[in-house]
Amino acid sequence: MAAEGKVDPMHQFSIHPLFGSDSWNIGGYNIAFTNSSLWMAIATVLLIVFVAGGAKRQLVPGRWQMAVETFTGFIDGMLAANVGPNGKKYVPYIFSLFMFILFANFLGLLPLGVFGLHAFTFTSHFSATGVLSILSFSIVIIVGLAKHKLHFFSLFVPHGTPVPMIPAIFVVELISFLVRPFSLGLRLFVAMMAGHVLLEVLSSFVISSGNASLGLFAIAGLPSFILMIGICALELLVAGIQAYVFALLTCVYLNDAENLH
């Protein structure tokens, strides 16, 4: 957003209510439907449409069905490599998680908005990525306790630990375990936010130099514009990589719960 001829790189992350929903309250709590909620809903609808369109079991699969089966096979292979045969039952969840984050990241890079609203990357907010990581982490804990009962806590005491060291090692391992959801959500949030801020800063160079003079635009604006194009391509790659990393680490954590020794 331009303010007094300047571009505010943080304005793109502002959350504001839509459709006059700022006055919606239940039990004293505001339940406004925000721009973040809208893009979450769009990502969810796209995921449902993507899966539904590829669910047709045709003898000769079309491109849509092949795309869904390719992603499903990719997730199945990831779980097989990290969790083993027991990982197959988690394919629906990891697939949904991966595709939801992937759609969210790509939607945030759209140059055009929807319903007159600018594209919004809700994965650039820790409140969104944190909920996804806590959800995954909760599943890991539930699976671990359901399958191994109290033996699950042996995860915090590595095999061969000397008896006098067990209390200290247990505390260190427990803290390390509890930090996992924080680091999982923080990694996605920081990666998406940093890229968008950098693009906004470069765009301010282009706008400011163009408004100043042709010579300044040639010196600062044009190189910034060329760099923006390269970073946009890099952001597409980062969007996919971050969705993959989030899904992969969730698989690794599930392995700890499933294959505890």
Side-chain angles (χ1 to χ4, degrees), residues 90 133-150 152-153 155-156 174 177-178 180-181 250 253-254 256-258:
Y90 301 110
S133 61
I134 290 174
L135 176 62
S136 298
F137 191 68
S138 299
I139 292 174
V140 170
I141 294 177
I142 292 171
V143 169
L145 290 175
K147 187 170 184 178
H148 304 287
K149 305 298 189 290
L150 293 179
F152 176 70
F153 292 99
L155 177 67
F156 309 124
L174 179 61
F177 183 77
L178 294 176
R180 285 180 174 182
T250 302
Y253 299 156
L254 283 169
D256 292 340
E258 277 285 343

Side-chain angles (χ1 to χ4, degrees), residues 200-254:
E200 196 78 6
V201 170
L202 289 174
S203 69
S204 70
F205 291 162
V206 176
I207 295 172
S208 298
S209 60
N211 291 335
S213 66
L214 183 60
L216 185 58
F217 176 77
I219 295 174
L222 187 58
S224 297
F225 180 73
I226 295 174
L227 185 58
M228 278 183 62
I229 296 175
I231 292 178
C232 283
L234 181 62
E235 275 290 281
L236 290 172
L237 180 62
V238 169
I241 290 177
Q242 289 302 316
Y244 167 74
V245 169
F246 199 100
L248 176 63
L249 290 177
T250 302
C251 292
V252 172
Y253 299 156
L254 283 169

Side-chain angles (χ1 to χ4, degrees), residues 38-51 100 103:
L38 174 64
W39 288 94
M40 287 183 192
I42 293 174
T44 303
V45 170
L46 285 177
L47 174 57
I48 293 173
V49 171
F50 178 70
V51 174
F100 180 73
F103 281 135

Side-chain angles (χ1 to χ4, degrees), residues 17-34 37:
L18 304 176
F19 317 122
S21 60
D22 53 326
S23 60
W24 296 357
N25 292 281
I26 292 182
Y29 293 94
N30 184 264
I31 56 168
F33 187 81
T34 65
S37 305

Side-chain angles (χ1 to χ4, degrees), residues 115-139:
F115 306 127
L117 298 172
H118 190 275
F120 184 83
T121 311
F122 59 84
T123 47
S124 64
H125 281 261
F126 189 63
S127 58
T129 61
V131 169
L132 291 175
S133 61
I134 290 174
L135 176 62
S136 298
F137 191 68
S138 299
I139 292 174

Side-chain angles (χ1 to χ4, degrees), residues 187-201:
R187 183 182 294 104
L188 175 58
F189 148 69
V190 169
M192 299 312 300
M193 185 176 189
H196 284 64
V197 168
L198 181 57
L199 285 174
E200 196 78 6
V201 170

